[in-house]
């Protein structure tokens, strides 16, 4: 063993000896950590949801082979219970159609026994309602000012027909409007291959709707309706609407004064801002190239067209495809705080490009598609990025629709991504500007249900979901339906199970009291952390973090404290590089972040000095020992976790350091 004699050093003149210390550092050998453990989190969904058996039975002959693509929730009979409005259409890809896509609308009323009954004829006077084609998007508001909610659909003939001639792809918008006797359907707007849809409010307090598609022009048509349900075209100025994603904002007014939208091809990740100025919609700003172009590839999309040259852009340090059908798609408006201005959350859909730089030709199935959620706002007429701190932001699961709504009843809006073939992804607002992914064990296990059983043909059904308060108690309920069609052969003629429809009534608010234990900037999960929760009434509960480093804390009405401990912290990660990091920070060659500063303060005096670097060196040559236990802090206050009191409904955010491990080389899973 190398023997070193350390003499006391005057910290005021440490620079005279710094070169000697650095020489010593470079000849010492670093160590590394090794650690592995796991714990499973039990499924607790029964605490939050009641599974309603056989919520809806549908007739075989009526519904075979149809898509149930669009579903919305409104109270059509004003009994305080929310009902479902479902649009079915036929996706027969074997036909060369030239007319309207076969389709019909159905309304199912929720009864007091939590089952659904067909209410279509009662509302419309007939059983099957034609909307004029297939639907892609939906918006709900009171458009005719009678105090009742109406529904508007974006309509097209994009039903998989062999003949892709745009001549047969267009449709009109369709509105389901309330009347004194029920509802009626009104088609309106310039025919287009409608895809996008959005709503806003005129200065007179009337709601309007607009949208666009992939054929025809993009000049906005802002429609409201009079008391006779006749469409009224309002002035849009120079406002242009994209076929993908856009949202109106009120800009702290009582009506819509701003709009944020994605740009058009080829700048599909560009963002454009409009404002209502002197009663005219005027473009005020645009950012057409928010991501750096780093190259090009030859790309063939899912539709089998020839290879085309598309841009490669840098998104968060990842080579991603910037064209080829990828773009912003779907959006919602969000208030991060109850008193905050609205922002627009856009879903960015792109794909990672593997082996970029060593491969020229790619097909879509070779890429790793993902979605991330991006926030934008308008400040001083400029469109700017609003950072959203979202836990597990990158989502490799396919989804189209997102919601911004309060899930846990704390008056703070949360974000919901309605993923296909799984439960929704729920990001709970922790009231500190961060969004934590809800532990999916709180949600029903539909993948192993009798409706979509795993390892069967039924598993190919891409079920979707919606979170709404159906029952009127303020707690969100959960409804699932087959979004990509009903595979009759998977179910036979027996539809007693509701033809793939599942309804779960919420029993208590979903809470994101999910503790996340991670280490370092790359957020390596720490499994096996033992946490003791002590409530103000004396209740003591012990938990262990799972393989994702998470612990779900049940809802409590008490204040509580937390103590965390990891029994085995693995091999010693402290090396001479940690001492070098400390020295570089002292002489301003490196800036340590807040967690690294805590790890560097070996003697606990609140300052980073050469004495801390010497302690690290002494530890490396076994002249002293630095405690290897992990230290846990409350991220919001910076105080030790054990010294922090939490209130009911809080979502604690925890940071973890290992004293002396300044370069954060500790690997909790290594």
């Amino acid at each position: 063993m190398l023997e070193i004699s350390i003499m006391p050093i005057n910290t005021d003149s440490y620079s005279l000896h710094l070169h000697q210390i650095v020489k010593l550092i470079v000849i010492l050998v670093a160590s590394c950590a090794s650690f592995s453990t796991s714990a499973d989190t039990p499924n607790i969904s029964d605490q939050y949801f009641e599974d309603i058996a056989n919520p809806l039975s549908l007739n075989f002959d009526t519904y075979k082979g149809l898509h149930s693509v669009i579903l919305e929730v409104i109270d059509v009979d004003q009994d305080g219970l929310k009902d479902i409005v479902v649009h079915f259409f036929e996706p027969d890809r074997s036909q060369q159609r030239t007319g309207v896509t076969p389709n019909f609308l159905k309304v199912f009323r929720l009864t007091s026994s939590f089952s659904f009954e067909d209410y279509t004829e009662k509302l419309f006077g007939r059983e099957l309602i034609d909307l004029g084609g297939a639907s892609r998007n939906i918006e709900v508001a009171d458009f005719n000012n009678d105090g009742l909610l109406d529904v508007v659909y974006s309509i097209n003939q994009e039903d998989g027909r062999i003949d892709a001639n745009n001549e047969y792809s267009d449709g009109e918008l369709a509105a389901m409007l309330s009347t004194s006797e029920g509802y009626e359907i009104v088609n309106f707007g310039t025919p287009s291959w409608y895809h996008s849809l959005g709503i806003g409010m005129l200065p007179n307090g009337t709601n309007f709707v607009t949208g666009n598609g992939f054929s025809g022009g993009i000049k906005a048509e802002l429609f409201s309706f009079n008391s006779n349900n006749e469409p009224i075209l309002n002035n849009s100025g120079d406002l242009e609407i994209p076929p993908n994603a856009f949202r109106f904002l009120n800009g702290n007014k009582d009506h819509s004064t701003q709009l944020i939208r994605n740009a058009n091809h080829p700048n599909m990740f560009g963002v454009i801002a409009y404002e209502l100025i002197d009663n005219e919609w005027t473009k005020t700003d645009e950012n057409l190239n928010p991501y750096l172009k780093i190259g090009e590839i030859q790309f063939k999309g899912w539709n089998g067209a020839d290879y085309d040259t598309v841009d490669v852009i840098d998104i968060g340090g990842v080579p991603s495809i910037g064209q080829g059908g990828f773009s912003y798609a779907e959006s919602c408006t969000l208030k991060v705080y109850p008193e905050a201005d609205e922002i627009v959350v856009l879903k960015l859909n792109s794909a990672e490009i593997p082996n970029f730089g060593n491969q020229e030709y790619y097909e879509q199935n070779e890429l790793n598609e993902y979605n991330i959620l991006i926030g934008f706002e308008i400040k001083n007429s400029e469109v700017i990025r609003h950072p959203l701190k979202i836990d597990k932001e990158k989502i490799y699961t396919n989804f189209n629709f997102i919601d911004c709504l309060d899930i846990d009843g704390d008056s703070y809006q949360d974000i919901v991504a309605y993923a296909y073939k799984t439960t929704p992804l729920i990001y709970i607002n922790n009231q500190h500007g961060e969004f934590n992914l809800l532990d999916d064990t709180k949600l029903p296990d539909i993948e192993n249900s009798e409706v979509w059983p795993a390892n069967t043909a039924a598993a190919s059904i891409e079920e979707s979901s919606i979170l709404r308060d159906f029952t009127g108690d303020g707690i969100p309920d959960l409804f699932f339906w087959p979004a990509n069609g009903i595979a009759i052969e998977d179910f036979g003629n027996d539809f007693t199970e509701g033809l793939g429809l599942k309804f779960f009534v919420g029993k208590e608010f979903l809470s994101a009291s999910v503790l996340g234990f991670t280490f370092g900037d790359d957020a390596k999960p720490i499994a096996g952390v033992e946490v003791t929760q002590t409530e103000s009434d004396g209740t003591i509960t012990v938990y262990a973090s799972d393989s994702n480093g998470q612990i779900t804390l049940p809802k409590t009405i008490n204040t509580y404290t937390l103590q965390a401990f990891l029994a085995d912290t693995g091999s010693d990660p402290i090396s001479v590089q940690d001492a070098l990091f400390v020295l570089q920070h002292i002489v301003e060659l490196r800036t340590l972040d807040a967690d690294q500063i805590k790890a560097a303060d070996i003697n606990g005096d609140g300052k980073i000095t050469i004495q801390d670097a010497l302690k690290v060196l002494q530890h490396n040559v076994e002249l002293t020992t630095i405690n290897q236990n992990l230290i846990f802090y409350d991220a919001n206050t910076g105080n030790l976790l054990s010294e922090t009191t939490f209130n009911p409904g809080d979502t604690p955010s925890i940071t973890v350091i290992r004293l002396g491990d300044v370069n954060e080389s500790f690997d909790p899973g290594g």
Side-chain angles (χ1 to χ4, degrees), residues 286-595:
E286 62 182 18
N287 184 358
L288 301 182
N289 299 293
Y291 300 102
L292 177 67
K293 179 180 176 179
I294 57 176
E296 296 177 343
I297 60 170
Q298 298 295 312
F299 176 72
K300 178 187 287 189
W302 62 270
N303 58 5
D306 292 335
Y307 285 97
D308 194 13
T309 302
V310 298
D311 293 341
V312 178
I313 57 178
D314 183 337
I315 300 180
V318 176
S320 302
I321 192 166
Q323 296 165 299
F326 296 92
S327 67
Y328 290 118
E330 310 305 330
S331 60
C332 63
T333 56
L334 172 73
K335 288 188 174 184
V336 178
Y337 307 96
E339 68 279 4
D341 295 340
E342 291 178 320
I343 67 171
V344 174
V345 179
L346 294 172
K347 185 198 82 169
L348 183 152
N349 174 228
S350 186
E352 299 173 349
I353 303 175
N355 204 33
F356 175 65
N358 298 309
Q359 184 175 333
E360 183 178 358
Y361 290 86
Y362 291 85
E363 296 187 12
Q364 189 161 342
N365 60 9
E366 298 179 83
L367 308 182
N368 301 316
E369 292 192 41
Y370 66 87
N371 301 283
I372 56 177
L373 302 174
I374 310 290
F376 289 96
E377 61 184 327
I378 297 176
K379 293 288 188 182
N380 299 321
S381 298
E382 296 182 357
V383 59
I384 61 174
R385 179 85 171 261
H386 184 104
L388 290 175
K389 300 176 181 178
I390 300 178
D391 178 36
K392 298 179 177 60
E393 177 184 38
K394 186 172 289 185
I395 307 166
Y396 292 92
T397 302
N398 182 30
F399 68 90
N400 280 340
F401 302 108
I402 58 176
D403 265 341
C404 296
L405 71 167
D406 181 15
I407 293 297
D408 56 352
D410 63 353
S411 300
Y412 284 71
Q413 288 188 322
D414 314 296
I415 304 173
V416 182
Y418 294 110
Y420 291 121
K421 305 191 74 171
T422 186
T423 51
L425 303 169
I426 302 174
Y427 298 90
I428 299 292
N429 189 333
N430 71 356
Q431 303 185 16
H432 301 287
E434 300 175 345
F435 294 83
N436 299 318
L437 181 62
L438 183 77
D439 184 354
D440 63 5
T441 61
K442 294 187 176 183
L443 302 174
D445 184 9
I446 63 166
E447 293 183 6
N448 295 313
S449 72
E450 76 282 1
V451 180
W452 299 289
N455 303 315
T456 71
S460 65
I461 293 176
E462 290 194 351
E463 66 272 10
S464 189
S465 58
I466 192 167
L467 272 164
R468 294 287 190 274
D469 176 20
F470 284 80
T471 62
D473 61 358
I475 300 174
D477 311 297
L478 187 56
F479 191 93
F480 291 92
W481 77 97
N484 72 329
I486 299 166
I488 298 299
E489 64 273 13
D490 298 335
F491 298 96
N493 293 333
D494 182 8
F495 293 99
T496 59
E497 296 297 333
L499 197 56
L501 305 174
K502 292 293 293 182
F503 183 45
F504 298 88
V505 172
K507 296 164 60 177
E508 66 177 78
F509 284 111
L510 291 166
S511 171
S513 296
V514 179
L515 304 182
F517 293 91
T518 61
F519 188 85
D521 286 340
D522 52 355
K524 298 182 287 286
I526 310 173
V529 179
E530 183 179 290
V531 175
T532 300
Q533 180 187 35
T534 303
E535 301 181 42
S536 56
D537 66 354
T539 302
I540 298 177
T541 313
V542 179
Y543 310 88
S545 62
D546 63 14
S547 58
N548 295 316
Q550 294 184 338
I551 293 173
T552 300
L553 297 179
K555 186 177 181 180
T556 178
I557 61 173
N558 304 311
T559 60
Y560 60 92
T561 59
L562 299 170
Q563 288 187 311
F565 175 73
L566 187 63
D568 181 6
T569 56
S571 303
D572 188 355
I574 300 175
S575 72
V576 293
Q577 190 180 50
D578 297 300
L580 181 59
F581 271 43
V582 177
L583 293 170
Q584 290 174 328
H585 177 79
I586 292 172
V587 297
E588 300 182 356
L589 295 177
R590 177 184 298 274
T591 300
L592 303 180
D593 63 28
D595 293 344

